[in-house]
């Protein structure tokens, strides 16, 4: 089994499916479906197993994404991707780290299924247009046009300022300290005046149903204790999706994962993942690769 190409490329295939879907559970389901299909293939007739498997996973992810699009329309409040615990090593590949960041996955959610597939395969995994065309069943010229539209769409919405890991870590630690100690003014100061908070409770945990803007208001929401009096709030700096992030526990129970967008030393966007169904991959690091 260790020599099976599917096993050898599993981390890559999971990364493709996860970037397509933004959901670890759905990505695992896609891998299971793809594994079953792979088991039925005469592998001696496959000249490039990696390319074949990427095509298979992408097609399965496209099918799943089109199904999910309908259910996400009925999602309670804001939808955010599943946070994944990763090692700091993921950040060594800057392009991979950006592509799996919570901020980028949130932007990719605004693309249609086909546009998302083309963007992921071309911009992240650098597949040739002809190979992408074969994967999604369109011509190479059509894929080029889709890729251009997707790039423009993403470029208009992605964070434009790149910051160092050390700066991200410093701002995250300052943010978590202010949150843990309830220092409202410190929270205000660490955030940009027009900061935006996006929270995902999925109807299963307390969370704002729409984005909140403004440092003063966001700080009050963050500092407001949605907890029983006397409950202990603990924060831990972790690496999520290839970037410094935070894990928040209430009385020892995981309650929230937080990811930040940092520009010029201040937080410009706060992502709070509170849906308990999305907090299941934060105990063991997930291997992401391309």
């Amino acid at each position: 089994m260790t020599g099976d190409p599917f096993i050898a490329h599993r981390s890559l295939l999971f990364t493709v499916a996860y970037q397509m879907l933004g959901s670890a559970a759905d990505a695992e389901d896609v891998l299971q479906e793809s594994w079953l299909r792979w088991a039925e293939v005469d592998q001696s007739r496959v000249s490039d197993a990696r390319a074949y498997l990427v095509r298979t996973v992408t097609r399965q992810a496209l099918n799943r994404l089109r199904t999910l699009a309908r259910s996400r329309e009925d999602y309670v409040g804001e939808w955010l991707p599943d946070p994944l615990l990763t090692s700091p090593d993921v950040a060594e590949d800057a392009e991979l780290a950006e592509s799996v960041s919570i901020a980028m996955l949130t932007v990719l959610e605004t693309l249609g299924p086909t546009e998302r597939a083309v963007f992921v395969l071309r911009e992240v995994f650098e597949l040739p247009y002809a190979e992408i065309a074969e994967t999604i069943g369109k011509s190479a010229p059509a894929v080029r046009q889709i890729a251009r539209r997707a790039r423009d769409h993403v470029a208009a919405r992605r964070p434009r300022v790149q910051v160092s890991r050390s700066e991200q870590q410093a701002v995250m630690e300052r943010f978590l300290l202010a949150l843990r100690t309830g220092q409202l003014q410190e929270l205000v100061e660490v955030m940009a005046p027009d900061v935006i908070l996006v929270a995902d409770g999925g109807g299963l945990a307390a969370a704002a149903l729409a984005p909140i803007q403004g440092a003063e208001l966001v700080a009050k929401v963050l500092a407001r204790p949605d907890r029983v009096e006397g409950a202990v709030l603990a924060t831990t700096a972790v690496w999520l999706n290839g970037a410094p992030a935070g894990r928040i526990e209430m009385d020892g129970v995981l309650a929230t994962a937080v990811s930040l967008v940092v520009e010029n030393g201040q937080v410009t966007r706060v992502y709070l993942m509170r849906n308990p169904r999305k907090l299941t991959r934060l105990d063991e690091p997930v291997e992401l690769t391309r």
Side-chain angles (χ1 to χ4, degrees):
M1 292 295 290
T2 55
D4 189 296
F6 193 98
I7 304 301
H9 296 301
R10 193 183 190 287
S11 295
L12 164 69
L13 300 176
F14 176 83
T15 306
V16 172
Y18 174 67
Q19 287 186 287
M20 285 283 295
L21 299 164
S23 163
D26 288 314
E28 291 288 3
D29 287 346
V30 161
L31 258 62
Q32 180 63 24
E33 294 164 2
S34 300
W35 164 256
L36 294 174
R37 290 176 179 271
W38 174 244
E40 297 174 351
V41 171
D42 181 356
Q43 297 177 23
S44 66
R45 299 173 65 88
V46 178
S47 59
D48 186 339
R50 180 184 184 275
Y52 184 95
L53 289 168
V54 168
R55 286 197 298 270
T56 300
V57 166
T58 300
R59 287 167 181 160
Q60 293 302 311
L62 266 173
N63 293 337
R64 178 63 62 95
L65 191 58
R66 287 165 179 148
T67 301
L68 289 174
R70 291 187 287 272
S71 63
R72 286 179 184 175
E73 290 177 357
D74 300 324
Y75 194 79
V76 178
E78 295 293 309
W79 185 95
L80 290 174
D82 296 2
L84 300 179
L85 183 66
T86 56
S87 73
D89 293 343
V90 173
E92 296 297 332
D93 184 339
E95 291 183 0
L96 174 63
E98 183 188 14
S99 72
V100 298
S101 69
I102 297 297
M104 176 58 79
L105 291 173
T106 302
V107 172
L108 293 185
E109 191 68 15
T110 64
L111 290 171
T114 301
E115 287 76 13
R116 185 166 184 168
V118 170
F119 182 89
V120 168
L121 295 179
R122 180 62 185 172
E123 299 300 314
V124 181
F125 297 97
E126 301 178 341
L127 266 61
Y129 288 113
E131 191 170 326
I132 298 173
E134 182 180 354
T135 301
I136 66 173
K138 293 186 179 294
S139 68
V143 168
R144 287 179 180 273
Q145 291 182 341
I146 293 170
R148 185 172 60 253
R149 289 199 304 269
R151 277 196 304 271
D152 292 345
H153 180 95
V154 171
R157 292 162 176 79
R158 76 201 307 175
R160 291 178 172 79
V161 180
Q162 298 296 320
V163 298
S164 66
R165 282 190 292 167
S166 59
E167 182 179 351
Q168 286 181 306
Q169 287 177 297
V171 173
M172 175 59 73
E173 289 171 1
R174 184 181 169 195
F175 177 88
L176 291 177
L177 177 61
L179 189 63
R180 183 171 64 252
T181 56
Q183 299 179 49
L184 188 63
Q185 187 56 38
E186 178 65 17
L187 271 175
V188 171
E189 292 176 0
V190 78
M191 294 186 292
D194 58 350
V195 64
I196 295 175
L197 167 69
V198 181
D200 177 350
L204 302 174
L209 297 179
I212 297 172
Q213 185 168 15
E216 294 281 352
L217 184 55
V218 169
K220 289 178 182 178
V221 170
L222 290 171
R224 186 182 64 226
D226 293 323
R227 52 187 128 134
V228 177
E229 185 175 353
V232 177
L233 182 149
T235 64
T236 306
V238 294
W239 285 82
L240 299 180
N241 294 63
R247 174 188 175 109
I248 302 172
E249 296 182 356
M250 298 293 294
D251 285 338
V253 177
L254 176 60
T256 307
V258 57
S259 176
L260 307 177
V261 174
V262 177
E263 298 179 20
N264 300 318
Q266 289 187 306
V267 178
T268 58
R269 194 167 288 255
V270 181
Y271 295 106
L272 295 181
M273 284 70 70
R274 306 203 66 209
N275 184 338
R277 293 176 179 171
K278 297 187 176 187
L279 302 178
T280 60
R281 303 295 290 260
L282 300 183
D283 293 322
E284 292 291 334
V286 175
E287 186 177 355
L288 300 174
T289 187
R290 64 176 180 144

